[in-house]
Amino acid sequence: MTSATHSTLFPRESGPGQFPAPPQGADSVLEGLDPEQRAVATSLRGPVCVLAGAGTGKTRAITHRIAYGVHAGVLQPGSVLAVTFTNRAAGEMRGRLRQLGVAGVQARTFHSAALRQLQYFWPKAVGGGLPRIIDRKVQLVAEAAAACRVRLDRGELRDVTAEIEWSKVTQTVPADYAAAARAAGRETPRDAAEISQLYGTYEDLKRHRSVIDFEDVLLLAVAILQDRHDIAEQVRGQYQHFVVDEYQDVSPLQQRLLDLWLGERDSLCVVGDASQTIYSFTGATPDHLLDFRTRHPGATVVKLVRDYRSTPQVVHLANGLLAQASGRAADHRLELVSQREAGPEPHYSEYTDEPAEAEGAARRIRDLIASGVPASEIAVLFRTNSQSETYEQALADAAIPYQLRGAERFFERPEVREAGAALRGAARFGGNDSLLDDAVDLPSQVRAVLSTKGWTPQPPAGSGAVRERWESLAALVRLAEDFSRARDAATLADLVAELDERAGAQHAPTVEGVTLASLHAAKGLEWDAVFVVGVAEGMMPITYARTDEQIEEERRLLYVGVTRARRHLHVSWALSRSPGGRAGRRPSRFLDGLRPGSTGSATRVGPLGHGGVEPGSGRAPAAAPAARRRVRTPARCRVCGRTLTDAGEMKLMRCDDCPSDMNEGLYTRLHDWRAAQAKEIGQPEFCVFTDRTLVAIAETAPSDEGSLARIPGVGMRKVRGFGADVLAICAGEEGEPGAGDR
């Protein structure tokens, strides 16, 4: 691997074209491209697949490809359609093409391109004007729930809406939702049959009101192109060359639309990186990228691995993360080669607790700003939005301006505002509130008040809005605990005053500031200095990532975070949640064998870097114990012996097609008990046990806690909560709701 021919064109990143004036002639477009980028730019015939690692200049390569084709007379600008996933990316592509002297190329998102075609062809294909597109489908989902007499809180509304969106981009109709969700191993926020009913009612409401939603734009475009061959031919006559960016994020519905645009032609260039697939929960899949050569046997495949964004030290860590990965995406990983000068080693910092971790990050950020790094070139990246409050406070305390990206400010979140109002009311009138009768101290008072807003001692199952709401409320509970420890005689009124003061300090407008963002929101962005925080087991990978596929997506998410850094990279974790807490956490398994002092699977990328572990809170960090890798034996069907891979089948320990030996009477008793239990605790039934888990219990009829805990979907936490009831029912006794020790 040689260095870039003109590496000075990439001083910091693969930025916009570097021409002070539009290039004169096709050959001048190729100046400054490295050999692989040049290969992309000059491959104008037939299908082309560009596998582009992080920071390798993929946008530069494909815009120069279009410009070279136009200047060479091979491509007509108006016949090219370039599609990507965000308006920002499409705008950047148009800007770069203008700099290259090319006008008239359509660079749009899938939805924008489809909507433009719908608006033009709808009068001809259907008649009249295109139906109105609803701004927010959540309101219509709420009306569907009311029509079905199903009560959904704000978080459940958002989660059910997300399930409807997933169904539509995977081309799943309401009647097939339950089976499709089961096959995909999705954690459904409500019973799958209930969501199917809501989905169907939502579609009925749209039809009655003659409105469409965002996903309908793609579905209707597909329908018209399938049904009207004359319109399909007209579109194909207009667009003859296609470029698709971020191809690893294409959904089945978007791929279907692309296929219809193409017809029988093969003038297609796709660009992507399977190692940056982090949106599979929305229906995105890298399969189209990974299967491209199979579907197009004669395709030209170009791999871009020269990283112009990050230093060799950052790239080394990124390569090390992927070297330990498994699965299909890992089999197609790209090993990056940095083209930048050497920089500092990544810093690995261990802290006693989360506030100390946030304070440590703030100190380092302050030092970076003092050394000349602009605040806007620094980012703090975390796994969940609920982690932001600690960092907002630490930066505010250090007088460091910041801005939140991809999430609301903590104190502006609806659930936090509701909780604040409830706490304020309790502080004012709590003496007359029986809710606080048994609350002996400030933390218990806060827990009692927030329990009316959705806080529970145990987090809800799965991910999504319900979990995020709980995390926000749990952060307030932890804040009350910390505040009480710091001030023994603190009252609820004192805490409310503290919350008001914090909210006021963090609402100050900032022009230049450190970016706080979730790892998902950071995709496509980059900074000089990046702090990836909370890299501990339970957060990275997140607790509810259970299957091998989910674990690997978490690894890719960390990879995306690491590759956002150009020069300075800080990775940190805390041993406990709060000051004085039990130091029971350990660094993420993804760092095993990569961070100093750890052991793990040997990487395939040469010698490891030796960044120092910076202790937090003034003490040396304890050496992390070596992770013992558990050898997993394949799950096999207990009926036919076939190896199981589907999450639902693994829960039952049998193939769906194999006969069930379920005790129907036992299942009925368990089902009735679950309904009563869910009503008592005020949670959806699937939070007690999912349908699959009930079937598995009814099939195995466990006789003791150990055998019950071994059933996938149960575990010791639920054994402690519901075990006594379930075992009593399995033994033929009548289980009483509430008998378990919860």
Side-chain angles (χ1 to χ4, degrees), residues 332-449:
H332 294 78
R333 72 185 185 93
L334 299 169
E335 188 167 319
L336 302 177
V337 181
S338 176
Q339 305 297 295
R340 293 196 58 178
E341 295 179 355
E345 293 285 350
H347 280 269
Y348 300 90
S349 302
E350 183 174 277
Y351 294 90
T352 55
D353 51 67
E354 289 180 2
E357 183 182 7
E359 291 165 7
R363 285 194 300 272
R364 281 201 159 275
I365 289 170
R366 188 173 54 207
D367 292 342
L368 284 171
I369 294 173
S371 71
V373 179
S376 60
E377 287 294 347
I378 303 173
V380 178
L381 306 181
F382 33 75
R383 176 60 181 84
T384 67
N385 289 330
S386 64
Q387 295 170 269
S388 71
E389 193 272 339
T390 303
Y391 291 89
E392 292 176 52
Q393 185 60 48
L395 292 175
D397 289 345
I400 298 172
Y402 65 87
Q403 53 190 337
L404 212 57
R405 181 181 179 87
E408 300 156 299
R409 289 179 182 270
F410 180 81
F411 286 103
E412 292 177 356
R413 295 173 191 165
E415 65 269 22
V416 175
R417 290 202 303 268
E418 292 171 15
L423 291 171
R424 191 170 290 104
R428 188 174 301 170
F429 307 112
N432 300 320
D433 192 341
S434 60
L435 185 69
L436 303 180
D437 287 348
D438 298 326
V440 297
D441 56 15
L442 176 60
S444 60
Q445 289 176 336
V446 172
R447 287 191 287 266
V449 172

Side-chain angles (χ1 to χ4, degrees), residues 227-390:
D227 296 343
R228 293 290 300 266
H229 297 291
D230 56 330
I231 293 177
E233 288 306 313
Q234 191 172 342
V235 171
R236 292 166 192 160
Q238 170 69 45
Y239 298 116
Q240 299 166 21
H241 307 279
F242 296 86
V243 177
V244 184
D245 194 12
E246 302 287 2
Y247 194 55
Q248 77 278 353
D249 290 332
V250 166
S251 70
L253 179 57
Q254 289 165 332
Q255 180 62 47
R256 180 63 186 137
L257 179 59
L258 179 61
D259 289 339
L260 288 166
W261 282 340
L262 274 168
E264 299 300 319
R265 299 164 300 172
D266 62 0
S267 184
L268 170 66
C269 175
V270 301
V271 189
D273 179 10
S275 296
Q276 296 189 67
T277 305
I278 60 173
Y279 297 111
S280 63
F281 59 90
T282 67
T285 171
D287 289 346
H288 305 300
L289 175 66
L290 298 178
D291 292 337
F292 192 83
R293 196 73 176 267
T294 302
R295 289 183 288 113
H296 302 280
T300 298
V301 177
V302 182
K303 296 181 179 180
L304 302 183
V305 297
R306 302 172 196 256
D307 188 324
Y308 299 100
R309 174 188 299 160
S310 305
T311 63
Q313 288 74 16
V314 173
V315 166
H316 179 82
L317 176 56
N319 285 337
L321 286 170
L322 293 188
Q324 300 184 31
S326 61
R328 193 167 181 229
D331 292 340
H332 294 78
R333 72 185 185 93
L334 299 169
E335 188 167 319
L336 302 177
V337 181
S338 176
Q339 305 297 295
R340 293 196 58 178
E341 295 179 355
E345 293 285 350
H347 280 269
Y348 300 90
S349 302
E350 183 174 277
Y351 294 90
T352 55
D353 51 67
E354 289 180 2
E357 183 182 7
E359 291 165 7
R363 285 194 300 272
R364 281 201 159 275
I365 289 170
R366 188 173 54 207
D367 292 342
L368 284 171
I369 294 173
S371 71
V373 179
S376 60
E377 287 294 347
I378 303 173
V380 178
L381 306 181
F382 33 75
R383 176 60 181 84
T384 67
N385 289 330
S386 64
Q387 295 170 269
S388 71
E389 193 272 339
T390 303

